Amino acid sequence: MRDILPVLGRWYAARAPFGLATVVRVSRSAPRDPGAAMAVGPDDEVAGSVSGGCVEGAVFELAREAVADGEARLETFGYSDEDAFAVGLTCGGEITLLVRPVTPGLDPAFGAVAESVAAGEPVTVATVTEGPAPRGAVLAVWPDRVAGGLGTTGLDAAVTADARGELALGATGLRHYGPRGQRREDAVEVFLQSFAPPPRMLVFGAIDYAAAVARIGVFLGYRVTVCDARPVFATPRRFPDGVEVVVDWPHRHLRETGTDERTVICVLTHDPKFDVPLLTEALRRPAAYIGAMGSRRTHTDRLERLVEAGLTERELSRLRSPVGLDLGARTPEEVAVSVAAEIVALRWGGSGAPLTVTEGAVHPAPPVV
């Protein structure tokens, strides 16, 4: 979708109706991931692809029909052993597409979404695929505002909260709700598509704890990098697939790496010659979370060294040390859960207390960021 948005934005600005087909569900060896899109615009111009050529002919007709009758539809394509050359995925698997017409009247937020994506501004688009809510209804959710609607105030509120959660991770997928946003029902299916790169997790210190933190970081949707100056420890085979491993002095690597308000920085080296220059750099740049491992004695010594390095009280107040929540964790995997719990609590304003001793909504409205 991101690749074809410039074309779609041009059609939309010209008020030319177009049919938009988006992959919302896949199974087995489907050729494209959720979020892949194809559109049919004026003069039957086609942009994008949903299967690499297997079903595009059929999708072309569905998109034209959607424009002609103004109705959204859900269509599933799969592989047929009996007739492998029928319209379907000859490579196997199954994809489900939402095909909907797009005009300024049907989707008044589309132009703003296209502009945000072009400008690198994060936004999630929530679209009803099935259920009693209007199929094809769209709610666009930014960190600080929303546009559009899905049919009921309760559904809009629930989806807005979840959309901001997906946006924080740059994630895309299906969610289910009741007609008024009830979370324990699944009558309404909504496809949440986030236009934001996944946030970064930078882990410094290639120790066993780092491998566990990196693993849970991948699970939470972060793009994870592990950095250590010691090549004997910083080897890819010690870390999960998909984790970038860098051999460099930590402070130098951080200085050359871009961070933003979603970035997580975990300092697990607990060695002053690495920690002090690294944290001096980290605490003076954008980041959602900066945590450092070590005992309370190590933490006190580290603070003294950072003060000597010139950091202010305000800068030092951003440091989470000793790292993690008090779970009684011992093993690297347990410590990783403790660190992840603190990251999530800090992101959403959670107290870290057991829900049995708290009051009010279990899922309060997330803070506007």
Side-chain angles (χ1 to χ4, degrees), residues 19-90:
L20 177 61
T22 305
V23 177
V24 298
R25 187 186 301 116
V26 301
S27 66
R28 300 190 301 278
S29 58
R32 301 297 301 274
D33 291 328
M38 168 181 159
V40 179
D43 300 322
D44 291 339
E45 182 182 352
V46 175
S49 171
V50 292
S51 74
C54 297
V55 302
E56 269 67 7
V59 175
F60 176 85
E61 297 300 333
L62 288 170
R64 295 181 66 192
E65 292 171 8
V67 171
D69 62 22
E71 299 291 332
R73 59 258 286 148
L74 203 64
E75 188 76 23
T76 297
F77 294 93
Y79 179 83
S80 169
D81 290 327
E82 290 75 24
D83 188 1
F85 293 98
V87 174
L89 302 179
T90 55

Side-chain angles (χ1 to χ4, degrees), residues 298-317:
T298 298
H299 172 64
T300 299
D301 176 72
R302 182 189 289 134
L303 285 180
E304 292 174 355
R305 293 172 183 270
L306 290 171
V307 169
E308 291 174 1
L311 271 78
T312 66
E313 285 190 23
R314 184 172 180 274
E315 291 167 339
L316 291 173
S317 69

Side-chain angles (χ1 to χ4, degrees), residues 163-227:
R164 286 188 173 135
E166 299 291 339
L167 189 57
L169 294 174
T172 287
L174 289 167
R175 292 291 185 97
H176 297 85
Y177 308 88
R180 294 183 299 281
Q182 303 95 319
R183 294 183 179 278
R184 297 186 65 183
E185 298 184 21
D186 59 4
V188 180
E189 183 180 80
V190 179
F191 181 65
L192 303 181
Q193 184 170 14
S194 296
F195 294 95
R200 299 203 64 172
M201 174 181 281
L202 304 173
V203 181
F204 295 97
I207 59 177
D208 288 346
Y209 290 94
V213 169
R215 188 174 300 111
I216 204 166
V218 171
F219 176 75
L220 290 175
Y222 287 92
R223 174 189 166 196
V224 181
T225 298
V226 175
C227 174

Side-chain angles (χ1 to χ4, degrees), residues 10 42 71 75 123 128 130 145 161 200 253 287 310 323 325 336 348:
R10 188 171 67 247
E71 299 291 332
E75 188 76 23
V123 59
V128 174
E130 291 190 278
R145 66 190 190 279
R200 299 203 64 172
H253 178 68
V323 71
L325 295 186
W348 298 117

Side-chain angles (χ1 to χ4, degrees), residues 176-305:
H176 297 85
Y177 308 88
R180 294 183 299 281
Q182 303 95 319
R183 294 183 179 278
R184 297 186 65 183
E185 298 184 21
D186 59 4
V188 180
E189 183 180 80
V190 179
F191 181 65
L192 303 181
Q193 184 170 14
S194 296
F195 294 95
R200 299 203 64 172
M201 174 181 281
L202 304 173
V203 181
F204 295 97
I207 59 177
D208 288 346
Y209 290 94
V213 169
R215 188 174 300 111
I216 204 166
V218 171
F219 176 75
L220 290 175
Y222 287 92
R223 174 189 166 196
V224 181
T225 298
V226 175
C227 174
D228 198 304
R230 302 164 296 180
V232 67
F233 295 112
T235 61
R237 61 183 176 78
R238 301 185 66 227
F239 296 93
D241 291 341
V243 172
E244 179 187 27
V245 180
V246 174
V247 179
D248 198 357
W249 278 83
H251 71 283
R252 183 168 58 194
H253 178 68
L254 180 59
R255 187 179 300 140
E256 297 171 354
T257 301
T259 64
D260 59 25
E261 288 72 13
R262 302 183 302 152
T263 303
V264 165
I265 299 173
C266 297
V267 179
L268 310 181
T269 49
H270 52 81
D271 182 333
K273 69 175 179 290
F274 295 123
D275 289 1
V276 173
L278 172 58
L279 287 170
T280 300
E281 178 70 28
L283 293 169
R284 289 173 171 167
R285 60 165 52 226
Y289 175 92
I290 303 170
M293 176 177 280
S295 67
R296 298 194 189 279
R297 178 186 298 176
T298 298
H299 172 64
T300 299
D301 176 72
R302 182 189 289 134
L303 285 180
E304 292 174 355
R305 293 172 183 270

